[in-house]
Amino acid sequence: NGQFGNGIYFNGVDSWLETDFAGISGTAPRTVAFWVKVPSDFSINHGYGILSWGLSHDQSAWQISPNPAKLDGPLGRIRVGSHQAEVIGSTDIRDNRWHHVAIVMYGGKDVDLSTHVLMYLDGKIEQSSKKSIAKIDTKLEHPDSRPLIMGKNIAFRDDVQGTYPYKFFKGFLDEVYIFNRALNQEDVNKLMKNNKL
């Protein structure tokens, strides 16, 4: 069961979704919104991969996950960005309850994680516990760029063997929306309450 109708469950071992949608590139504005339920027994091995696209290196990905890296900030908080460049929220979502998440990026010439990204949790602006100062340039044209993937770290290809950590997300996901513009808080709340704008 999802928040609205049916959702999807990722087992943290070998289940994920890969789409044909390339994602939103470069410094273009965007909003990614969804419902997520993270188990209370969440392991840091199950981070990096609620939803992502782009190039997994050179700070060129757009990846959203519960933070699994203690060195980067508090565990289990919403995290957006790429390797060594991220914004991390302050609310622990490892409570086995549905939460509405919206990540808004304002486009522009000098788009930076520290100044151009807002996070909403359950309709309210989520305070950041950490912000990297890093330019955003989501690359879609590189040979190693990946389309929109849910439930899997985009740094890994289709191999599902082995026990390497941080490969798959464990949890529930529902009602994923991706907009090519920056929604305001009123829009985010309409989407959360009505499942439409």
Side-chain angles (χ1 to χ4, degrees):
N1 294 326
Q3 186 66 13
F4 291 90
N6 293 327
I8 189 163
Y9 171 67
F10 297 104
N11 63 15
V13 178
D14 59 5
S15 62
W16 78 96
L17 285 174
E18 186 163 344
T19 75
D20 292 328
F21 176 60
I24 296 172
S25 67
T27 60
R30 66 199 69 167
T31 300
V32 180
F34 53 86
W35 288 91
V36 66
K37 182 163 63 169
V38 179
S40 48
D41 64 349
F42 170 82
S43 162
I44 60 170
N45 289 349
H46 297 140
Y48 297 122
I50 293 176
L51 182 152
S52 51
W53 69 78
L55 185 62
S56 64
H57 52 80
D58 298 330
Q59 300 171 357
S60 302
W62 190 250
Q63 182 159 283
I64 302 169
S65 65
N67 181 43
K70 196 170 185 179
L71 288 175
D72 292 338
L75 296 175
R77 279 63 173 175
I78 285 293
R79 168 190 178 122
V80 61
S82 58
H83 182 59
Q84 298 181 336
E86 62 280 320
V87 178
I88 299 174
S90 56
T91 304
D92 194 343
I93 61 169
R94 300 171 296 173
D95 58 4
N96 204 40
R97 298 176 60 187
W98 284 106
H99 292 283
H100 189 260
V101 174
I103 309 294
V104 178
M105 190 192 94
Y106 296 87
K109 184 181 176 186
D110 296 312
V111 178
D112 195 286
L113 275 170
S114 63
T115 56
H116 287 72
V117 175
L118 277 180
M119 298 189 291
Y120 293 90
L121 186 65
D122 299 325
K124 298 177 182 177
I125 292 178
E126 171 75 346
Q127 297 299 316
S128 301
S129 61
K130 178 191 174 181
K131 284 186 175 183
S132 296
I133 299 173
K135 299 297 181 188
I136 299 170
D137 185 11
T138 311
K139 290 185 170 56
L140 306 185
E141 304 302 325
H142 190 280
D144 292 331
S145 294
R146 307 295 301 276
L148 171 63
I149 295 175
M150 293 173 255
K152 183 179 180 183
N153 187 336
I154 62 170
F156 295 94
R157 291 292 177 175
D158 293 337
D159 59 308
V160 295
Q161 302 302 317
T163 57
Y164 192 87
Y166 316 126
K167 189 178 288 189
F168 296 101
F169 168 65
K170 182 178 181 180
F172 300 81
L173 187 63
D174 195 18
E175 305 305 336
V176 175
Y177 284 87
I178 299 174
F179 300 90
N180 61 355
R181 65 182 180 91
L183 299 187
N184 60 32
Q185 188 167 14
E186 183 181 359
D187 290 332
V188 168
N189 275 277
K190 284 179 183 177
L191 193 60
M192 179 181 72
K193 292 173 184 175
N194 305 317
N195 199 31
K196 61 181 180 180
L197 292 181

